Amino acid sequence: MTNTVMSYENAAEMGLSAEEFDRVCAHMGRIPNLTELGVFSAMWSEHCSYKSSRRWLKTLPTTGDRVIQGPGENAGVVDIGDGWAAVFKIESHNHPSFIEPYQGAATGVGGILRDVFTMGARPVALLNALRFGAPDHPLTRYLVSGVVAGIGGYGNCIGIPTIGGEVNFNPSYNSNILVNAMAVGLARADRIFYSAASGAGNPVYYIGAKTGRDGIHGATMASAEFNEDAASKRPTVQVGDPFAGKLLLEASLELMDSDSVVAIQDMGAAGLTSSSVEMSAKGGLGMEIDLDQVPVREDGMSAYEIMLSESQERMLVILKPEAAETAREILSKWDLDCAEIGHVTDTGRLVLMKDGALAADIPLAPLVDDAPEYDRPHEQSPALPVIDSGTISTGDSVITVLKTLLASHHLASRRWIWEQYDRDVMADTIASSGGDAALVRVHGSDRGIAVTTDCTPRYVKADPEMGCMQAVAEAYRNISAIGATPIAITNNLNFGNPEKPLIMGQIAGSVTGMGKAAEALGTPVVSGNVSLYNETDGKAIDPAPVVGMVGAMDNVAQSAGIALDTKGLAIFIIGQDEKTNDGWLGCSVYADIMTDNPDAAPPPVDCAIELANGTFVRDQITAGVINAAHDIADGGMLPALAEMILAGGIGADICLPAGGNSHGWCFGEDQGRYLVATDQPDQLKDAAASAGVAATLIGTSGGKALKLTGGDSISIVELKTLHEGWMPDLMAKSPQR
Amino acid sequence: MKVTVTITLKPGVLDPQGRAIEHSLLSLGYQDAKEVSTGKLITLDIDEDDENRARQKVAKMCETLLVNTVIEDYDIHCLVADEGDEA
Amino acid sequence: MKVTVTITLKPGVLDPQGRAIEHSLLSLGYQDAKEVSTGKLITLDIDEDDENRARQKVAKMCETLLVNTVIEDYDIHCLVADEGDEA
Amino acid sequence: MDIAVITFPGSNCDRDIITAVESITGRLPQLIWHKDSDIGKPDLVLVPGGFSFGDYLRCGAIAARSPAMDAVYDHALRGGMVMGICNGFQILIECGLLPGALIRNSGLKFVCRNTRLKTSQTGKAIMGRLEDGEELTIPVAHNEGQFFADEDTLSKIQDNGQIAFTYAATHGEDDYNPNGSALDIAGITSENGRVLGLMPHPERMMSEAVGGTDGRRMLTAIIEASQS
Ligand SMILES: Nc1ncnc2c1ncn2[C@@H]1O[C@H](COP(=O)(O)OP(=O)(O)O)[C@@H](O)[C@H]1O
Ligand SMILES: [Mg+2]
């Protein structure tokens, strides 16, 4: 066994505390060698062990009638009816995308796709939640163009439509962008594959691309003690190969179809380490691997490097012993490497051989079960005052404000981004970017799944618990607004350093809020990811607990879009009564753009109302009463209406309420509301009354402009120029590194 | 002065394109081509007669725009007018 | 023998990328870079010691796969082991 | 009728075109893997879109040199009908079955959006069942779709009536041409009018649910033409 003796210092370089190192030694019964310590440090990293967040994640609701698999597998699985299951997860690639935006984002997409197809599902949709720095920050354009090209580059090439997402710009992300990618797949509910190993003696196969020195933990490798030849072992950026990804996708699905697979897991973060450890530990078994059998791309790779490499497009598979020949045939058809690298044992240990000698021997139970878990001190963010909208309203006309907001970085169209994504490949896209949720059809049927990602960091920063409830509620509204039934969520918790009590307080508050809303709205959390330490020079990002939600509908023909494309429709606000003549401007887009943005509490979320209004809107859509629907979110009612007008090309006449505060009424961000257009106003009103849902008629569709009572108006052409112009103008300036 | 910048991937960085080409050459019957790798070429005309100064200028362009120094290396070749190509 | 193929666009063929780079260089303040054009580099190791034969083989690979001769030109550079780089 | 669809590793629109053909003809087309050199004697060969061989080297370059494409080449020389969509168009150009080149979009970005196509040269062969001047809404999704050819070639394909589809500014948009193609070319045919390549994806416009039926209209006309 290679016996460089590890020290506290080495442990610290790998991110393990002295106390954690003591624990490793106790479990091992000796001082671990480099490879063993590397395995521990990877498995006990924040990324793999969730040591700061686990205590809180345990509080989330994770079960429900439709949940087939909750958190703990590669992705969550829910029943969407008719024997179909949706398999989905979201994952971050924040740091790599800042270092190398194209490859960082591309490999983020590749990684999340593997999480989905490793469960036997064919991926059918990709989404991305992005956070960049201030638009005028010198790095922003370079990062935006690289990240967007990388996401498109991978998704377009592998042939899976990228159909939704969200983008925020805020200076807190100047040096720490967020790149979260979500993938959704479809499988037959009775053909889901899991990662738990079984059957001692079963062969362990490595399939996919060769292993190189990609993405090996930087801090570790920079340390001279660990290598004689530092330059040649320099950690390298992971490069995505979507073509290899496509081959791996097809080969894996074919392999799973061929009835050869006992268990399968992709090699994601911490590569061969996490896949081998998790597969064997989940099955309560052990594994012996001969690292000399691992297909490598470079000469002289050490056991440590092979175990910790994050080369892309690789899978670990436990095969039925009799299936070896079938597997080889399938892999060779797809021109992929395939090697038997070991077997399952019943020893409960991970044994690694290299150059014919023992390279590591680790007891798995403590490695997995005794991973550190911390109850870190947490402090609540101070409550912010509720601000009366009257105190921050400006004297500008409503149309002037609308123009300013629509052309602001908050609300301007993201077309520049999503036109770079193939949204139509697979030919089942019913709705994609530009509306609320996106909708894809289950191939060969009328059934659809609706997907969205949402989070408003502004709210979360102001009030983590309420802000995260809002993220769930907004996702719920987006799914409902297209006519689908929300089913379950995945989430990506992006925060700063959890060792700071205020940050830990944001995490605790957010998870609490997410749990409450998920429970109340009947959308359990089935998968997720945590990305902590998003800080630069001690300054944390604005917290971003991104929520990805999946919903389902029986017949996509019954869905509604946001487009106001018919004259003479009655336009209602659902979730707001006729007496309301003001709105919540604190913590709004309006406050950010039009005022000096005083600290203020975000709009409160009432889940009971969300549930009632969402159910009402969905029911009226499927009943054919609603012609177009859009949830009211960032920016408030009037920008939402403008988006409907822009999407459909028909204008509207809107009646402002008498008295009150027109800015609050037009731009307030009160929750639980939708704009709907209908050609059956009486029916809608009656249905609302009997459902106990507030519905207020505010105007009629028609014409080529948005007109307000009193004569103020703006043409669709002008609206379009403002809304569509901002991002192309920004990106037309040259990028700079 | 005409300047050519050759940009190649740093050692160890995956070159999927190179691999695909190698594979294709193989299946077209070119068995003896190995270690295929790909790179980029940028040529430009720079308003500068002194080779050293030209190099310096172009190096700056490489660092700020032309090259992704996280994964790429570059070489600058100046075509000195009266001398012919320079290695 | 190590061989490098440089592939450039034929005169008259549009080079949108080259134009964009030139534009970016300009707006970054590099006023004196002109006529930016882009190309490709393919290096490979060929199992052949004789330079002429190596060139011939690689030329064939260029004609059949590596180069789109409708829009691209190519040059073959052999790195002769004992001589260093060859222009 | 006999329709063949050629697939390569990385052709990701193969399922889409297969589904489209099946929904028009009621029959699954014959699937041909790139390593097969026997494609039979189909009435129509379809080369689907996607990223064959990852689009590495040049789009379509590696696929164009596959055994199946050698057979398609011979099929076309014998007067057989062939249609290539998007990456399939790039492959047909790389094979030398169609003139010109498809280079990087003028905007240097991948572009996915609906385009208006104007149909022309409909009198003959593969275009025979489409109407001259007919406008269709079909989406594009590509990075290298800018049609380029030297002046001589351009005037030759114009004179020969090889321009089959052009991007049209129906509503006076100034960005109607999504990639900067010369003469707004979206699709061309071979001299004999029997080989067609186009960048837009008709197989993605097969029903109102997905945004329209103009793709069905186009594919139906082409399949019918291959029967006559
Ligand atoms: N990064 C992105 N990728 C793809 N689509 C995006 C992206 N950002 C925004 N979109 C799309 O733009 C539209 C508007 O986004 P957003 O304002 O965040 O919607 P909402 O407020 O309804 O959640 C949505 O359809 C969304 O899917
Ligand atoms: Mg919405």
Side-chain angles (χ1 to χ4, degrees), chain A residues 99-101 103 142 209-210 212-214 234 236-237 239-241 243-244 297-298 312 335 735-737, chain B residues 9-17 19-20 23 61-73:
Chain A
I99 305 286
E100 212 309 276
Q103 298 298 345
Y142 161 70
K210 290 185 168 57
R213 291 187 172 99
D214 316 68
R234 180 182 41 211
T236 53
V237 171
V239 169
D241 181 355
F243 175 55
R297 190 172 87 222
E298 293 178 62
Q312 301 290 297
D335 289 323
Q736 195 174 357
R737 253 194 297 274
Chain B
L9 288 172
K10 278 196 194 322
V13 175
L14 180 68
D15 180 11
Q17 174 149 267
R19 286 220 349 236
H23 194 89
M61 297 178 193
C62 287
E63 298 283 337
T64 47
L65 179 76
L66 304 180
V67 181
N68 180 351
T69 49
V70 180
I71 52 174
E72 294 170 334
D73 286 331

Side-chain angles (χ1 to χ4, degrees), chain A residues 436 474 478 630-631:
Chain A
D436 286 321
E474 187 177 342
N478 278 323
H630 193 9
D631 79 305

Side-chain angles (χ1 to χ4, degrees), chain A residues 126-130 132 148 151 162-168 410-415 417-418 421 423 432-438 451-455 474-475 478 630-634 643:
Chain A
L126 285 164
L127 297 94
N128 57 105
L130 312 177
F132 296 104
V148 170
I151 289 171
T162 302
I163 55 175
E166 49 170 355
V167 189
N168 290 159
H410 288 287
L411 301 184
S413 167
R414 274 54 170 144
R415 179 187 298 276
I417 293 177
W418 45 258
Y421 301 151
R423 306 180 303 284
S432 63
S433 293
D436 286 321
V451 290
T452 181
T453 68
D454 290 282
C455 174
E474 187 177 342
N478 278 323
H630 193 9
D631 79 305
I632 299 178
D634 248 23
E643 287 167 7

Side-chain angles (χ1 to χ4, degrees), chain C:
Chain C
M1 176 173 315
K2 274 220 175 293
V3 182
T4 299
V5 182
T6 55
I7 305 173
T8 50
L9 290 172
K10 278 199 189 340
V13 175
L14 276 188
D15 181 10
Q17 209 168 350
R19 289 221 341 241
I21 293 175
E22 189 168 329
H23 186 85
S24 294
L25 284 173
L26 245 172
S27 66
L28 289 175
Y30 300 105
Q31 254 94 13
D32 47 4
K34 278 185 207 88
E35 308 204 18
V36 179
S37 67
T38 60
K40 284 187 281 191
L41 204 68
I42 299 177
T43 63
L44 44 86
D45 211 340
I46 191 162
D47 202 0
E48 177 63 73
D49 291 330
D50 180 75
E51 186 179 330
N52 267 336
R53 273 203 302 270
R55 268 178 190 284
Q56 264 167 26
K57 278 191 184 171
V58 175
K60 235 179 119 200
M61 295 178 195
C62 286
E63 298 282 336
T64 44
L65 176 73
L66 303 180
V67 181
N68 179 353
T69 51
V70 176
I71 51 170
E72 295 171 331
D73 286 331
Y74 63 93
D75 262 312
I76 298 173
H77 314 255
C78 292
L79 191 75
V80 184
D82 46 2
E83 262 194 83
D85 204 343
E86 189 249 22

Side-chain angles (χ1 to χ4, degrees), chain A residues 200-240:
Chain A
N202 276 341
V204 176
Y205 274 76
Y206 169 116
I207 67 174
K210 290 185 168 57
T211 296
R213 291 187 172 99
D214 316 68
I216 295 169
H217 188 236
T220 316
M221 294 317 297
S223 157
E225 299 97 86
F226 294 150
N227 57 81
E228 319 74 68
D229 179 8
S232 76
K233 293 186 179 176
R234 180 182 41 211
T236 53
V237 171
Q238 307 159 44
V239 169

Side-chain angles (χ1 to χ4, degrees), chain D residues 56-78:
Chain D
Y56 294 133
L57 187 59
R58 295 179 309 278
C59 305
I62 298 178
R65 282 127 185 111
S66 62
M69 283 316 295
D70 287 346
V72 172
Y73 189 87
D74 294 340
H75 167 82
L77 286 196
R78 288 192 306 265

